[in-house]
């Protein structure tokens, strides 16, 4: 109820501050007898890890995950899986400026307004470092989903917009996503994006991004009517990621401009005798329940407010001042958002799969 | 857990099908000794009620609400408030076509896929009729919020885009919203919208819309870190409304194009010695917690798929066919969405206010 | 969260006051395609109904249940099932005495302390009338359990102690339970109990009772470790029934006197090759998970405090006074508790069955 | 939902197996700015710690707690508090016998039945070692309760029955409880209990116990109607403790024998003008809501089934056999239950205090 927990049946609780001794996640509700080892989780953490290119923060977090419970002889036991990542890169440093000043666009002001106390070191609990726990939980969710749905399962995210630059949708290539530091699916724009972001970085500025995530191999029937619609839960899960300001399903906000006959996805019978949709404006969800098509979500990340350019602000004593955020930072936080979006997709889908099993199977 | 319930501390459960004997909502967690009568709720239901102009469905629902519990001598008692609306306009009619055919863009196919059974009459549980319960709950939420925050409280929604037509933001006038059937805040475009929608309607087609909702008078500190961020809960609440495909907070997806220094809202000290933000790209929420500024949400509704234009589909026997949806329908479901968006805003804010009181006050 | 809801996956919300227009229950999470009609529920309500003998309150509630949603063509649809019972016996009467005075042993004082307002008519929300909703939900739970476990399923409760009178356990006969107004399983003591309770009633007094409930045909594996143990959830469910003050599983408090070798139920292999327990001190639950044996719960009901004998109390103005509770009352509320205990058993078992299906099957 | 979490607003999640690398608890919903350090928690863990007398298991757990998050500069921040205890006494040993055989009275059989896999080392997740997390969470709950209710707050438990031996209630002395290894409040019986339990231990047997817990200084108004009654939540919390088979509130099961006029606690006005109850059969709770009197709960622990006396059982291959549980064990697990019962009392009270604040204050 304090907001540090995700999910209903598949659920996890994260804990930890950016510069505390460690951070972690306790994953619960996992079906028993699923093969699981630390390496299954580490591969996804490594994708999210900062410091891999000059376009992400140079903080060198090792992000080495340990499984502390819930796995016995290489298999899940059905009891809570506790994962911990120690913070190895907490330099004892002078936090002077952010200690008392509120960084505009950050949670500094609101945490103080809510709690009357704030762990200002590296953003404390509001740091994007918390997303390591999401990615770890997502890795476990994938393992379970793959047991359930087999090799048809495919969950991938790509960055489709970087500030004012777009991909060409016709050039989309999933293989490309892992081959550049932007999670960009269009090899034709990578060089341009590289120059663009280098400039942004040199100027001490930042830009936003849009991440698009696809999930294939999900059967029809996942989701629940009315308040826990599959798309509603996806919207919440994605909007809960740091810096996200918008979530769209399928065509998203573009549907407002469409006419009904353009937007309705016609249904036919495929060669295998099963229903086939001729288009996917709906993003694989109707009435909050999956159709069996690809589930498509678009997520917009704002540009980080940690800038070398001074921004007017106040301090906690009520004095006006300016702030410049020194140190290691991302010119585009959305880039590291891609693995997190994938993880949240996997977590939402697993949660709804378990819910569906409970009531309908 | 079956998805028919909203909220954590302020919570409600809706029930009922479009053409069943009645529908209702049980509202729980309401603080005691709040003055409440049926008329407090009815005024909001009347705003949502269809059949008020030629631009909404001609179904004549009386939508008369009854309070069955939880109110004693004109005040809430702190126990569950049960509200019921009888369905007076359930004509016994031939449902033949939608009985067996799946309407593209509707939940027909997915409900059958999930449950193996479907109350096809008027859309059953997936009908927009369910939103009457939301509006009723929202009316109660407003009463409580007003007790808490006084006359500063202001929660209003307007339609800012109708298909391909937009308002001029500079002409925004809240007073205008109640004076046209479009919940449009720009009197300069109302005539044009009227003609536009009349044409759509004559053609048996439909269009989408975008609704923008503002909440003023909300103090800083509402919301919770990480998974139950105020914006995450707003995203879920809005996405759970029928036909919604996108939710944005503040500038929404436009932030992707901004640079950090454009997006960060600078903070100054106002004449009263309190913090003032010089802009509101963030939509009143930072780190998932309210800043004290206006909370701004934009919600995109798809065009209804109930059309006089035939759409290819299949029936439940696996045969290909076409469907034309006869009867009473909305050329733009987004219009009736405005009161529902307002209601969900009120419900989310109250829920987080109670949560904040529990932990921090 | 306001305490008017039961369960996690199979869940229901009750609403209504003793003397309001109606009371009801919304049952959610029910699997689809379970045959269900009003009569399925009515039979259990009739067992709980007061006024059936001189030993229960003479209030003549018709307790006629209506299904308002969630059932289509005789089958559950998987959406919320709303049940309503109208209060037909709300005589407009003078509540003068209980309006201002706090009845000792009742919730009058504590409701005022908590809410600062109280619907005093017939006990309002704290009336045992609320248990009608439990019995209705329990009837639905039984239907689902029977689909799952077949005819092996058996859930029955009996009154094993009435004030200072006990049954002879060796004479236990389930068939007897329906043949006397005491739900007594020992025909040898019925006459004695009848005289005993007649005396209590004539004296304007009341006595407590102990109800024992058995559930057979439940497979091993239901329940969850640690906080939601099957016995923990049974304890909560039973203790939530009006007037209950104690809950024991299996041998209950008697285990304190046993030695380990007496208490441990030895395990052997039965003729069918399956595990057989040679005794059942544990009441069918080990480590919070069902063993496949009979689940046995004992529940103690206090004597009602509604008495013709004056009891010292205060009024809400802080004045000392006495109170005599006139009107229709039960000399032993525990009698009507038996069907309620059965219902709660069914509800807890179904909830845990769905949870087990979600995670482990 | 998987049962490893306690509470609604004040809540915690435990994790860890008896012989894993560590175990822990994540405590969430704690109000901010409460002073908290490791020592505040350690003192309660030390009371629970085994190996302190010959009457508890000789396992030498150091049980040293570390705070990993949620505390900043000596105060809670309102974010999750992660506590970890490393398992220092996990001797690599031969688990041969319990690896394949099901110990009667233990969760071995049921875990295998539910999950199809079982961490048999030291009981795995079902070990009483999990209660360290409860005690740690309870220590935090006390800190918050003391901030709320001041020095009036008093939460203590004592062992009032040890196997067939009882205390004399008239000799009750809280000071005595800490001065003997039995948490016994009657100094007159300590010597006798010591001899009694020494004999039990020598015989390789065990006995049950009854723990009684009192909470004073709790205001009227805590609790919630119907399903989350204060006593219902206490019943669940206590029944969830390992080896507990019965929970009673106030007079508990004895109320069954009382008559209404004996059981009703009369109310008068005290010298300070406030309500005074002349007795406390109700155990401080009416209608599920606290009266302001002492809250009294009695909890029965079964004798442990880990015995040097052979008990018939089967192994996981379906063969009949006997089992003797060698190694370090408690002749009376109920003794170490006293600090755990206190902790659960504190946790339930805090949870309901926060809930009360949310809705009613």
């Amino acid at each position: 109820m304090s907001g540090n927990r995700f999910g209903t049946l598949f659920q996890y609780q994260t804990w930890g501050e950016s510069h505390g001794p460690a951070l972690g996640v306790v994953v619960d509700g996992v079906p028993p007898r699923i093969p699981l080892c630390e390496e299954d989780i580490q591969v996804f953490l490594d994708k999210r890890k900062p410091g891999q290119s000059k376009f992400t923060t140079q903080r060198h977090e090792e992000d080495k995950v340990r499984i502390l419970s819930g796995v016995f002889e290489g298999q899940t036991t059905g009891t809570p899986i506790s994962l911990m990542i120690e913070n190895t890169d907490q330099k004892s440093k002078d936090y002077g400026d952010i200690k008392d000043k509120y960084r505009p666009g950050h949670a500094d002001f609101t945490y103080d307004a809510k709690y009357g106390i704030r762990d200002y070191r590296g953003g404390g609990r509001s740091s994007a470092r918390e997303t390591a726990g999401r990615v770890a939980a997502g890795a476990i969710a994938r393992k379970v989903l793959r047991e359930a749905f087999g090799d048809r399962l495919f969950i991938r995210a790509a960055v489709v917009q970087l500030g004012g630059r777009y991909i060409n949708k016709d050039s989309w290539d999933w293989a490309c996503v892992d081959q550049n530091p932007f999670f960009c699916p269009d090899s034709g724009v990578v060089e341009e994006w590289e120059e663009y972001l280098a400039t942004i970085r040199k100027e001490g500025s930042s830009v936003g991004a849009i991440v698009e995530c696809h999930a294939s191999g999900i059967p029809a029937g996942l989701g629940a009517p009315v308040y826990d619609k599959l798309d509603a839960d996806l919207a919440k899960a994605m909007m809960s990621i740091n810096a996200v300001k918008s979530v769209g399903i399928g065509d998203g906000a573009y549907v407002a401009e469409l006419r009904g006959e353009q937007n309705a996805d016609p249904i036919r019978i495929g060669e295998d005798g099963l229903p086939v949709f001729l288009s996917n404006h709906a993003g694989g969800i109707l009435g909050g329940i999956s159709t069996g098509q690809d589930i498509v979500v678009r997520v917009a990340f704002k540009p980080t407010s940690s800038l070398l350019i001074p921004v007017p602000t106040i301090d906690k004593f009520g004095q006006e001042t300016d702030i410049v955020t020194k140190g290691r930072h991302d010119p585009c936080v959305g880039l590291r958002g891609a693995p997190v979006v994938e993880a949240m997709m996997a977590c939402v889908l697993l949660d709804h799969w378990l819910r569906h099993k409970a009531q309908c199977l």
Side-chain angles (χ1 to χ4, degrees), chain A:
Chain A
M1 199 60 63
S2 289
N4 298 286
R5 192 195 318 141
F6 168 86
T8 59
L9 288 181
F10 173 73
Q11 55 186 204
Y12 65 82
Q13 158 113 29
T14 65
W15 55 268
E17 278 78 37
S18 178
H19 288 212
L23 55 85
V25 56
V26 184
V27 184
D28 210 346
V30 179
R33 301 188 311 280
I34 306 287
L36 186 71
C37 65
E38 287 167 354
E39 185 54 25
D40 291 328
I41 300 163
Q42 194 64 50
V43 287
F44 289 97
L45 285 173
D46 289 347
K47 290 174 86 176
R48 190 209 73 99
K49 197 168 62 175
Q52 306 197 101
S53 83
K54 63 183 170 186
F55 301 116
T56 56
T57 169
Q58 293 307 299
R59 172 169 177 160
H60 293 292
E61 298 157 350
E62 220 188 323
D63 275 8
K64 212 71 202 169
V65 70
R66 280 184 67 200
I67 298 177
L68 296 177
S69 69
V71 175
F72 184 60
E73 298 181 342
Q75 289 190 307
T76 60
T77 59
T79 59
I81 301 171
S82 177
L83 305 176
M84 185 168 70
I85 298 168
E86 291 188 58
N87 284 327
T88 52
D89 189 27
Q90 340 150 226
K91 303 187 202 153
S92 144
K93 71 169 186 180
D94 177 17
Y95 293 97
D97 224 26
I98 63 168
K99 180 170 184 299
D100 295 333
K101 292 182 182 177
Y102 298 129
R103 291 168 298 166
H106 278 280
D108 304 341
F109 173 76
T110 54
Y111 268 60
D112 252 10
K114 183 174 191 70
Y115 298 116
I117 184 175
R118 170 172 64 95
D119 181 348
Y120 49 78
R121 301 167 305 165
R125 181 75 185 143
S126 71
S127 163
R129 192 133 178 64
E130 188 272 342
T131 59
R134 300 171 183 248
V135 170
I140 295 175
R142 278 174 194 268
K143 293 283 288 189
V144 184
L145 286 170
R146 194 163 298 276
E147 291 280 319
F149 303 137
D151 290 338
R152 291 168 301 159
L153 183 78
F154 174 91
I155 299 176
R156 288 300 301 274
V159 174
V160 299
Q161 183 183 336
L162 179 77
R165 309 298 157 103
Y166 305 81
I167 62 159
N168 179 348
K169 282 234 167 186
D170 295 332
S171 309
W172 193 299
D173 175 13
W174 284 113
C176 176
V177 169
D178 285 336
Q179 294 159 7
N180 66 78
F182 309 108
F183 296 92
C184 174
D186 173 3
S187 60
V189 302
V190 168
E191 202 178 303
E192 180 198 338
W193 284 21
E194 191 151 351
E195 285 166 27
Y196 173 64
L197 202 58
T199 307
I200 300 286
R201 193 168 72 90
K202 263 178 236 147
E203 295 171 5
S205 182
S206 64
V207 286
I210 290 183
V211 172
E212 187 170 312
C213 184
H214 293 229
S216 309
I218 307 299
L222 266 59
V226 195
Y227 296 97
D228 296 349
K229 288 184 163 112
L230 184 55
D231 33 359
D233 277 340
L234 284 168
K236 176 167 181 173
M238 298 304 170
M239 195 69 94
S240 78
I241 302 171
N242 305 43
V244 170
K245 299 301 283 184
S246 167
V247 182
I249 306 295
D251 284 1
Y254 301 114
V255 292
E257 296 176 22
L258 297 181
R259 294 176 61 143
E261 64 275 19
Q262 295 171 308
N263 181 63
D265 301 309
I267 321 177
R268 300 279 81 179
I269 297 293
E271 291 187 2
D272 55 1
L274 296 174
V276 174
F277 293 82
L278 302 187
S279 56
N280 191 10
H281 298 286
I285 302 173
L286 286 175
I289 299 170
S290 64
T291 62
Q293 297 174 274
D294 279 12
I295 294 170
V296 179
V297 182
R298 286 167 64 93
V299 181
F301 288 80
K302 70 177 181 184
T304 179
S305 313
S306 299
L307 303 164
L308 293 179
I309 299 161
V311 190
T313 191
I314 59 171
D315 62 24
K316 69 178 184 185
F317 310 109
Q319 299 302 310
E320 298 191 343
T321 180
D322 282 352
I323 192 163
V324 169
T325 313
K326 289 167 204 150
R328 319 163 287 200
H329 287 292
D330 291 314
C332 179
V333 286
L335 298 187
R336 289 169 61 204
V340 183
V341 166
E342 281 184 9
M344 297 314 293
M345 173 70 93
C347 291
V348 170
L349 290 174
L350 176 56
D351 194 22
H352 273 282
W353 168 239
L354 298 183
R355 291 170 70 163
H356 185 60
K357 272 211 310 172
Q359 187 183 11
C360 296
L361 298 189

